[in-house]
Amino acid sequence: MSSTTPKLTVVGAGPGDEDLITLKAIKAIESANVILYDALINESLLKYASKDAELIFVGKRRGCYAFQQEQINELIVSKANEKGHVVRLKGGDPFIFGRGAEEIDYVRQFGLETFMVPGISSSVAVPAYQGIPLTKRGASESFWVITGTTKQHKLSEDVALAAKSTATVVILMGMGKLGEIVKIFSKEGKGDTAIGIIQNGTRDNENVGIGTIDTIENIVEEKQLANPAIIIIGDVVKERAVLSSIYNEVNKK
């Protein structure tokens, strides 16, 4: 058993672009004895790991699980007791639909020290990379960030509440429920409301579809948009076209 105190650091890896990670996160990766990493992280971040660190892929994508959550929890504890410092490297921010809090709660039962390094959340950074501000004076005074799929594998009831508001609505893990989302917003008379879907946000293979509630399903089919993607609904989505137009005008000069 390692003489190092068993500890867990849950680290947010950001939305995908390798550069969108904090200095504190890199320091945690460098000091780790074991790194358990997810499918959505940029694997180039593993270059910061010590050559002696044990790297374990525990990734999860829809319908494909390398490890179940309970197995991950147990693995954190066993590896921390065996080797010392475990870093749990998770995409985006682990405290925004990332189950980071659940993992910390679990390992504390076994006396592990726990630390958290926040990450840049895809819910904010991915729209920003496409020139979409989640709030803008005169367009949106607030925003909702909602999971598209609950623990019961159903669409969150909060989507219906958000659809009644004037807020920007950001839905994560919602592509499998897009048809339901469209119906909810259509029912509120928002067929003309702008919507953007961004797949693999901030990465080299980013794929974007922009339309309205009435047209987005056809656009998704045309552009073959799929998970991992985020959905942004609201007038602020129109800002992307404005900023792109300005960018193109500047480049012509």
Side-chain angles (χ1 to χ4, degrees):
M1 180 175 171
S2 171
S3 59
T4 307
T5 303
K7 67 179 180 179
L8 165 69
T9 304
V10 177
V11 175
D17 185 330
E18 178 190 348
D19 293 338
L20 291 179
I21 190 165
T22 65
L23 182 57
K24 195 173 188 73
I26 290 173
K27 288 177 178 178
I29 293 168
E30 289 174 337
S31 68
N33 303 113
V34 182
I35 298 174
L36 277 59
Y37 64 98
D38 274 354
L40 292 179
I41 73 145
N42 188 327
E43 291 191 20
S44 65
L45 295 172
L46 298 175
K47 70 186 178 189
Y48 295 108
S50 161
K51 61 181 177 61
D52 299 320
E54 182 179 1
L55 309 178
I56 305 172
F57 174 72
V58 293
K60 295 183 287 182
R61 288 191 187 276
R62 187 179 178 191
C64 180
Y65 292 81
F67 285 79
Q68 296 291 335
Q69 186 62 51
E70 293 76 13
Q71 292 175 300
I72 294 171
N73 293 345
E74 292 167 5
L75 189 60
I76 292 169
V77 174
S78 66
K79 287 296 180 182
N81 284 323
E82 177 190 348
K83 295 192 173 182
H85 183 202
V86 173
V87 160
R88 181 74 173 94
L89 191 58
K90 303 167 77 72
D93 184 283
F95 276 12
I96 300 180
F97 306 127
R99 305 189 74 169
E102 295 174 42
E103 291 170 353
I104 286 174
D105 286 346
Y106 179 85
V107 305
R108 278 178 175 163
Q109 303 173 74
F110 299 90
L112 270 67
E113 289 187 70
T114 58
F115 303 91
M116 167 65 183
V117 180
I120 296 175
S121 173
S122 62
S123 62
V124 176
V126 169
Y129 253 48
Q130 282 295 321
I132 300 171
L134 296 190
T135 63
K136 187 185 178 188
R137 187 176 297 186
S140 175
E141 298 169 356
S142 62
F143 63 91
W144 293 58
V145 180
I146 308 171
T147 178
T149 307
T150 65
K151 189 176 181 180
Q152 291 75 34
H153 305 291
K154 295 180 180 179
L155 182 66
S156 170
E157 293 180 2
D158 286 348
V159 174
L161 294 174
K164 295 179 183 295
S165 76
T166 58
T168 303
V169 182
V170 180
I171 302 173
L172 307 183
M173 300 170 287
M175 288 300 286
K177 302 284 194 300
L178 182 61
E180 290 179 58
I181 293 165
V182 164
K183 285 179 183 175
I184 287 168
F185 278 81
S186 295
K187 187 178 177 183
E188 296 297 329
K190 295 187 174 180
D192 292 332
T193 299
I195 177 171
I197 294 178
I198 306 170
Q199 178 184 0
N200 294 317
T202 78
R203 293 176 179 261
D204 292 338
N205 60 341
E206 187 173 64
N207 190 12
V208 183
I210 303 290
T212 66
I213 290 294
D214 285 342
T215 64
I216 194 63
E217 288 181 285
N218 288 334
I219 291 169
V220 165
E221 186 175 347
E222 176 189 323
K223 295 214 164 197
Q224 298 185 317
L225 290 159
N227 282 313
I230 77 167
I231 301 166
I232 309 108
I233 304 170
D235 285 344
V236 292
V237 174
K238 297 174 185 175
E239 294 298 316
R240 177 180 184 267
V242 173
L243 291 172
S244 295
S245 175
I246 293 170
Y247 176 80
N248 290 333
E249 283 297 318
V250 169
N251 280 351
K252 286 176 185 176
K253 293 177 181 179

